[in-house]
């Protein structure tokens, strides 16, 4: 497997939001091969009400419109109610990961021409493409098993990878047609996906069973097979497996979970920064040596107890992004109710910006701000990378989670279904 450290400066996060986000394009830019003028935006997935908020990608982050991502809800519910097994899984999602709510949107990416948005819908176990002009479905892809989860888009915007969490599978689809191009097996409960900047590899993080109450360190073995699976993005054959358990044990961190959650590459892809279940902080991992090189423990909120069973889906901190120049990290302290910017060289955190159950961290279109989704107060908040201070908060829909950079037509307004 080639060494990843020689890759040029990456702008992969505009497509991934887990990695570095490139500086904004002009407000009206044409996509490759298209004469249509496009506008860069942020899509905010409102998980519990089944909508995607569309807001400005920088500046005041003002609302532009909204898309209904479950226009076929009646049809889907009829199919679920007619199948006892599907109904059982639907209700299990509602009462476990959904915290008593249905999960109607986990992740989303726009197509390169800005005409459609592709959405993974956990409760409906599918991926759909929605026409941004009409609000109607272009296509629907049912994933294997009974729940869809995080996605990633290839650097060229042509392929989307989606985790099918109950079948331990990642499907790779043509983003325009929805045709399956390939798939690969993972560890238990595949979660995050990341394409490398050159598009040659896909990293998948399998997090195991995060909904059980067996959260004590001595019961960690019950959580399943948790690992990073690296595959060739052309053949979808496994290239490498990264198991963090030996690395954590070698550092004397035997009580720490090895379930890798959100992660972000450094610009040259020589380092991977990642969060794990239950931990208030993150790790730095060297790709070439296969070693954890640094550990950062972030402050605990005194109001947050240490009872692991109270952490939502085992994630004390969930959300990490990096400034385009690679100098700053932004961390969502989910259960500790704050977000903070961390200097990458010194690992010194900045001000702890109060945020209510922040569940994701991405980068603004102009690269100046970290944008976190506050799922507890239904808003997104921008934090300045340079100062670490809050810039603005913008109200969105019910329980925002994933936030992704995308494009719409320059004159786009909400479809009637939105």
């Amino acid at each position: 497997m080639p060494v990843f450290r020689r890759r040029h400066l990456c702008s992969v996060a505009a497509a991934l939001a887990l990695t570095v986000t490139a500086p904004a394009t002009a407000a009206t830019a044409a996509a490759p091969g298209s004469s249509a003028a496009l506008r860069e935006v942020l899509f905010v997935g409102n998980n519990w009400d089944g909508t995607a908020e569309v807001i400005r990608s920088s500046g005041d982050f003002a609302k532009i419109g909204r898309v209904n991502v479950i226009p076929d809800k009646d049809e889907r519910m009829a199919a679920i109610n007619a199948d006892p097994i599907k109904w059982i899984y639907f209700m299990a999602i509602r009462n476990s990961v959904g915290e008593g709510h249905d999960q109607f949107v986990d992740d989303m990416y726009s197509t390169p021409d800005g005409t459609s948005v592709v959405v993974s819908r956990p409760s409906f176990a599918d991926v759909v493409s929605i026409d941004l002009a009409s609000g109607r479905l272009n296509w629907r892809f049912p994933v294997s098993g009974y729940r869809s989860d995080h996605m990633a888009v290839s650097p060229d915007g042509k392929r989307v990878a989606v985790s099918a969490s109950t079948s331990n599978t990642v499907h790779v689809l043509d983003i325009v047609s929805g045709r399956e191009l390939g798939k690969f097996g993972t560890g238990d409960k595949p979660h995050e996906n990341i394409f490398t900047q050159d598009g040659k590899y896909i990293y998948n993080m399998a997090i195991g069973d995060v909904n059980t109450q067996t959260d004590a360190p001595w019961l960690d073995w019950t959580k399943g097979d948790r690992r990073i699976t690296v595959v060739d993005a052309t053949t979808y054959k496994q290239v490498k497996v990264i198991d963090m358990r030996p690395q954590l044990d070698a550092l004397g961190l035997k009580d720490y979970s090895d379930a890798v959650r959100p992660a972000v590459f450094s610009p040259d892809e020589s380092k991977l920064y990642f969060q794990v279940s239950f931990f208030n902080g993150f790790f730095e991992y060297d790709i070439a040596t296969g070693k954890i090189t640094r550990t950062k423990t972030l402050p605990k909120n005194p109001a947050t107890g240490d009872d692991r069973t109270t952490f939502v889906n085992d994630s004390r901190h969930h959300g990490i992004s990096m400034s385009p120049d690679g100098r700053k990290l932004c961390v969502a302290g989910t259960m500790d109710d704050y977000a903070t910017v961390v200097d990458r060289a010194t690992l010194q955190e900045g001000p702890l910006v109060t945020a209510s159950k922040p569940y994701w961290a991405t980068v603004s279109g102009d690269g100046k701000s970290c944008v976190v989704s506050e799922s507890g107060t239904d808003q997104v908040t921008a934090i300045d990378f340079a100062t670490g201070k809050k810039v603005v908060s913008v109200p969105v829909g019910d329980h925002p989670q994933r936030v992704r950079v995308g494009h719409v037509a320059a004159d786009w307004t909400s479809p009637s279904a939105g």
Side-chain angles (χ1 to χ4, degrees), residues 10-14 17-23 322-324 362-367 405:
C10 94
S11 59
V12 73
L18 286 179
T19 65
V20 183
T21 299
M322 187 179 293
S323 60
T362 189
V363 181
S364 62
D366 61 9
V405 173

Side-chain angles (χ1 to χ4, degrees), residues 152-304:
V153 72
S154 58
D156 62 7
K158 295 181 179 180
R159 295 173 292 163
V160 63
V162 57
S163 289
S165 55
T166 66
S167 69
N168 299 348
T169 301
V170 171
H171 301 277
V172 183
L173 312 177
D174 180 283
I175 201 169
V176 174
S177 68
R179 180 173 64 89
E180 184 177 59
L181 302 174
K183 61 182 178 181
F184 59 91
T186 67
D188 292 332
K189 302 297 190 295
H191 190 57
E192 189 55 59
N193 296 291
I194 304 175
F195 277 89
T196 55
Q197 165 61 19
D198 55 13
K200 290 183 177 180
Y201 302 98
I202 303 172
Y203 279 63
N204 173 265
M205 289 67 169
I207 59 174
D209 294 311
V210 299
N211 309 120
T212 65
Q213 294 298 298
T214 54
D215 294 341
W218 70 274
L219 291 171
D220 186 70
W221 60 273
T222 67
K223 294 290 185 176
D225 179 13
R226 293 151 297 171
R227 55 186 166 98
I228 299 175
T229 302
V230 185
V231 301
D232 184 295
T234 301
T235 65
Y236 308 110
K237 300 296 184 183
Q238 180 177 297
V239 173
K240 185 178 182 181
V241 170
I242 302 173
D243 182 357
M244 291 298 178
R245 181 76 273 150
Q247 295 301 314
L248 293 167
D249 290 349
L251 295 172
L253 303 177
K254 295 181 182 295
D255 286 348
Y256 285 58
S257 172
D258 59 350
V260 176
R261 309 301 291 262
V264 59
F265 276 112
S266 60
D268 63 0
E269 294 184 325
S270 67
K271 298 288 194 298
L272 183 72
Y273 297 84
F274 65 92
Q275 297 163 311
V276 299
S277 292
F278 309 118
F279 179 50
N280 50 298
F282 61 89
F283 297 93
E284 177 188 79
Y285 177 82
D286 185 88
I287 296 294
T289 65
K291 303 290 185 182
I292 293 175
T293 46
R294 292 193 290 176
T295 302
K296 174 60 179 178
T297 302
L298 286 165
K300 293 181 178 180
N301 184 337
T304 301

Side-chain angles (χ1 to χ4, degrees), residues 56-92:
R56 292 179 181 173
S57 65
S58 58
D60 62 3
F61 298 93
K63 180 177 177 178
I64 297 170
R66 174 178 283 192
V67 180
N68 174 18
V69 303
I70 49 171
D72 58 337
K73 181 180 179 181
D74 291 345
E75 180 183 354
R76 296 274 63 77
M77 289 307 304
I80 289 167
N81 290 330
D83 186 321
I85 302 300
K86 288 182 179 179
W87 183 87
I88 289 171
Y89 274 93
F90 179 85
M91 295 303 296

